[in-house]
Amino acid sequence: MEKENQSIVTTFILMGIPHAPELDIVLFGIFLVIYILTLVGNLLILLVIKVDSHLRTPMYYFLASLSFIDMWFSTVTVPKILMGLLSSDGGAISFRSCLSQFYFFHFLGSTECFLYTVMSYDRYLAITHPLHYATMMSGKTCALLTGSTWLSGSIHSAVQTILTFHLPYCGPNQIQHYFCDAPPILKLACADTSVNEMVIFVNIGIVASGCFFMIFLSYMSIVHAILKIRTAKGRKKAFQTCASHCIVVLCFFGPCVFIYLRPGSKDAVDGIVAVFYTVLTPVLNPLVYTLRNKEVKTALLKLQNRGIFAQGK
């Protein structure tokens, strides 16, 4: 009972993104615009895939899942950033709310990580086994793969959350970050965190490096297969299909590796770098997949011509 009573911190203070106070309004406007674009862009992708029968393929099935995740992934952190920029006490967050934000952040983030791996495997099958692709990537297979990403993400996040929040927090309560994450929270614990840090490092390391390695292997096989395509038009189409996925993967994995898999941690640097995969990647996904994808652009034009936007359907 004594050990439990040590956890007397009931409220944490998120210190936010390092910036000059006079930039509050400017940053608020920037993050608000990005958040709105994220929601609208990803909702448009979901709407297009739902309405256009030509987009009911495995690739767009996974893209719809990605858009759904990105909307909520952004919602976990950005509204709290906006609150912190608006008022002096906007950074206050209760212990339970911090725990919830932590869980859902890692749940959605790791699920997205697994989903990128599945999407690379889908592109691998589509390009290297075109004749058997429809059979190998059936609707049931797509559902199983997507379900496994959500289940794996949930388990991964549960491990991170339990390891972090079972520790006693009885001293300072200022989190040097704009959301509840493991590195800055563990610095506030009233106990030795070396074991926790090592387990979390290995856990995230296995997930991130494992997913990235599988994605790398998939795309090496894809490049090898593309170079065998005889027509220049065929090679160009195959490269364009995969290029958008590669751009988003790099934007997501690069900052994650920098923050979680490097020795030491610098609060100010981590906070700025984290913006790339928590705020910018969710808004980049709809832009990359629409601006570089002729099928999606064609579907959007069809919707516009049918008057869906004007009628609000």
Side-chain angles (χ1 to χ4, degrees), residues 261-309:
L261 302 184
R262 85 184 197 279
S265 176
K266 295 182 179 179
D267 297 325
V269 176
D270 287 355
I272 294 171
V273 173
V275 171
F276 281 92
Y277 73 94
T278 60
V279 180
L280 296 182
T281 299
V283 76
L284 279 178
N285 283 345
L287 292 175
V288 169
Y289 283 109
T290 54
L291 294 179
R292 297 184 59 88
N293 192 309
K294 290 182 179 179
E295 292 176 326
V296 175
K297 286 191 286 187
T298 301
L300 284 170
L301 289 173
K302 286 181 181 178
L303 283 178
Q304 190 173 15
N305 292 334
R306 286 162 55 180
I308 289 184
F309 294 150

Side-chain angles (χ1 to χ4, degrees), residues 10-79:
T10 58
T11 303
F12 288 111
I13 305 296
L14 295 170
M15 301 308 292
I17 299 171
H19 68 283
E22 56 268 22
L23 294 178
D24 280 352
I25 301 301
V26 175
L27 289 176
F28 177 84
I30 292 173
F31 281 108
L32 180 61
V33 170
I34 291 175
Y35 183 54
I36 292 172
L37 288 176
T38 299
L39 296 182
V40 172
N42 284 292
L43 279 172
L44 276 177
I45 287 182
L46 289 173
L47 175 64
V48 167
I49 294 174
K50 176 71 175 177
V51 173
D52 197 315
S53 59
H54 295 95
L55 300 182
R56 292 173 189 172
T57 63
M59 183 177 80
Y60 293 106
Y61 180 89
F62 296 130
L63 179 56
S65 298
L66 180 63
S67 292
F68 181 78
I69 291 173
D70 277 336
M71 285 192 301
W72 290 107
F73 190 51
S74 181
T75 300
V76 167
T77 57
V78 178

Side-chain angles (χ1 to χ4, degrees), residues 112-128:
E112 184 162 338
C113 178
F114 293 126
L115 186 59
Y116 283 134
T117 308
V118 170
M119 291 174 73
S120 69
Y121 176 67
D122 171 66
R123 291 301 84 209
Y124 163 76
L125 290 182
I127 293 174
T128 60

Side-chain angles (χ1 to χ4, degrees), residues 124-160:
Y124 163 76
L125 290 182
I127 293 174
T128 60
H129 300 85
L131 298 179
H132 304 287
Y133 174 67
T135 304
M136 298 173 73
M137 195 60 73
S138 62
K140 183 178 180 180
T141 302
C142 289
L144 286 172
L145 287 172
T146 304
S148 68
T149 64
W150 286 91
L151 178 61
S152 301
S154 177
I155 294 172
H156 172 76
S157 181
V159 171
Q160 303 285 359

Side-chain angles (χ1 to χ4, degrees), residues 198-255:
M198 180 58 67
V199 174
I200 289 174
F201 177 85
V202 172
N203 189 11
I204 293 179
I206 291 174
V207 171
S209 59
C211 288
F212 190 79
F213 181 68
M214 293 175 69
I215 292 171
F216 178 77
L217 287 181
S218 295
Y219 277 97
M220 286 299 98
S221 302
I222 288 170
V223 169
H224 181 70
I226 289 175
L227 294 176
K228 290 183 178 180
I229 298 176
R230 296 180 179 180
T231 64
K233 184 178 180 181
R235 286 195 298 271
K236 183 180 179 182
K237 183 178 180 181
F239 270 121
Q240 286 181 337
T241 302
C242 299
S244 56
H245 185 203
C246 290
I247 292 171
V248 174
V249 165
L250 290 174
C251 289
F252 183 83
F253 278 91

